Amino acid sequence: MKERLLVLAKAAPEASKKYEELICVAGITDKGEWRRIYPIPREVFLKTSKSRFNKKWWIEYELASNKPSDYRPESRKIKFETIKPLREASYNEISELLSQRIQTIEEIEEKGVKTQSLGVVQPREIIDFLPSDNPHYNKLVTMGKQLDLFGNPAMKLSPPKFKYGYKFKDDANGRVHENLCEDWEAVMLYLNCEKMRLEGKYPDEKTVHEKVRQKMLKDIFSRGKTYFIVGSHYRFPTFMIVGVIYPRKTDLS
């Protein structure tokens, strides 16, 4: 069975013993259903891959099964080799879809992850974007030194030493939320800035954090409506920000 999906979240790669590095992809189908699809190995996103796609793209793929693949009702296993990129969606098209589905974190949490594990919130007040130590950093560094059967590094990407999270309100009268941001764009921004520090272009880690914060906190939210795609972790019933949707400068012209 084939399905079409508007990709709204492409989370940072996560290490897997079976599939090496997997990417969590989520969005809304052309039937209006929230969907989380996997396994999608990192190789799909290489420039040489015919299946390569980005966030905000419509894609088509074949389902391995139309039944939930875990306790979260939106999860489906797919045949990743059947992924076919279709077209990029405009910000206005995406905004129209999301504006009809906005909830608060509390509303999503109240339903329980076995009923709803994906959703969209619109931050009303952005307080901060802060780094925290990655508790799995040392373990991932050790895994990265291991070799596969062909003598190549088992992990292709450098693990981030720090993770970032938004501190925000999605309701003027609601509580302040602190949610980890696993959007791949944010993680790669940090890794690129950290690379520049190691090359001597940035003086210290404080500068790295300032550069990341400038982009993900100030630049993005200066352009208008921004949406957070939130999803629950498989092992823990906590919600993370797995996708940040915002208008590019070209969307405003």
Side-chain angles (χ1 to χ4, degrees):
M1 176 181 174
K2 290 186 177 180
E3 187 172 70
R4 292 191 173 190
L5 180 77
L6 173 57
V7 177
L8 299 171
K10 191 172 77 170
E14 186 170 309
S16 163
K17 291 182 179 180
K18 185 176 180 181
Y19 297 103
E20 295 187 356
E21 291 167 324
L22 299 182
I23 287 76
C24 170
V25 170
I28 297 173
T29 70
D30 58 356
K31 293 182 174 61
E33 299 177 334
W34 283 104
R35 185 74 73 238
R36 175 190 295 104
I37 59 173
Y38 66 90
I40 302 180
R42 174 182 168 273
E43 284 68 25
V44 168
F45 297 100
L46 297 178
K47 291 183 179 180
T48 54
S49 173
K50 293 181 180 179
S51 300
R52 187 171 182 261
F53 62 90
N54 290 315
K55 193 168 59 177
K56 301 181 182 179
W57 271 75
W58 280 100
I59 63 172
E60 184 180 79
Y61 50 81
E62 189 172 333
L63 291 165
S65 171
N66 195 30
K67 295 181 179 179
S69 50
D70 58 48
Y71 65 88
R72 298 169 297 180
E74 306 91 344
S75 299
R76 298 289 188 280
K77 282 190 176 181
I78 71 166
K79 300 176 182 179
F80 67 82
E81 65 275 8
T82 67
I83 293 174
K84 179 182 177 182
L86 300 176
R87 66 175 178 87
E88 185 176 11
S90 69
Y91 174 77
N92 288 338
E93 177 185 356
I94 295 171
S95 183
E96 185 176 346
L97 281 172
L98 293 181
S99 62
Q100 302 169 15
R101 294 170 168 81
I102 292 173
Q103 297 171 281
T104 63
I105 294 286
E106 286 90 348
E107 289 171 338
I108 299 174
E109 289 177 338
E110 285 174 4
K111 290 189 174 184
V113 295
K114 292 184 179 180
T115 300
Q116 181 182 357
S117 69
L118 284 170
V120 57
V121 302
Q122 186 174 355
R124 304 295 179 179
E125 179 185 353
I126 298 295
I127 300 170
D128 219 333
F129 188 68
L130 298 168
S132 60
D133 292 335
N134 181 356
H136 307 296
Y137 177 71
N138 291 329
K139 178 181 178 180
L140 292 172
V141 169
T142 301
M143 288 175 62
K145 293 178 181 178
Q146 297 174 355
L147 303 179
D148 61 20
L149 295 175
F150 303 99
N152 300 313
M155 291 184 64
K156 310 298 189 300
L157 292 178
S158 300
K161 184 178 179 181
F162 294 94
K163 298 225 171 189
Y164 289 81
Y166 278 105
K167 190 174 181 180
F168 69 101
K169 281 188 173 185
D170 58 6
D171 183 339
N173 300 316
R175 75 176 194 259
V176 174
H177 300 285
E178 295 185 38
N179 292 74
L180 190 67
C181 180
E182 288 286 6
D183 186 295
W184 196 354
E185 176 184 356
V187 175
M188 289 307 297
L189 174 63
Y190 162 71
L191 290 175
N192 289 334
C193 288
E194 174 64 5
K195 180 182 178 183
M196 295 183 76
R197 182 188 72 83
L198 295 173
E199 293 173 349
K201 297 176 182 178
Y202 291 157
D204 48 34
E205 286 185 339
K206 180 181 178 182
T207 304
V208 170
H209 295 322
E210 288 174 351
K211 294 292 183 180
V212 174
R213 190 172 181 270
Q214 175 67 40
K215 167 73 174 181
M216 299 303 298
L217 181 66
K218 297 180 180 179
D219 293 353
I220 284 178
F221 292 94
S222 67
R223 299 177 189 170
K225 284 185 180 179
T226 298
Y227 302 94
F228 289 160
I229 308 302
V230 297
S232 67
H233 195 280
Y234 174 73
R235 291 189 295 271
F236 315 104
T238 55
F239 282 88
M240 304 175 294
I241 297 168
V242 291
V244 181
I245 301 293
Y246 61 93
R248 295 172 299 191
K249 289 182 180 179
T250 53
D251 295 321
L252 303 176
S253 58

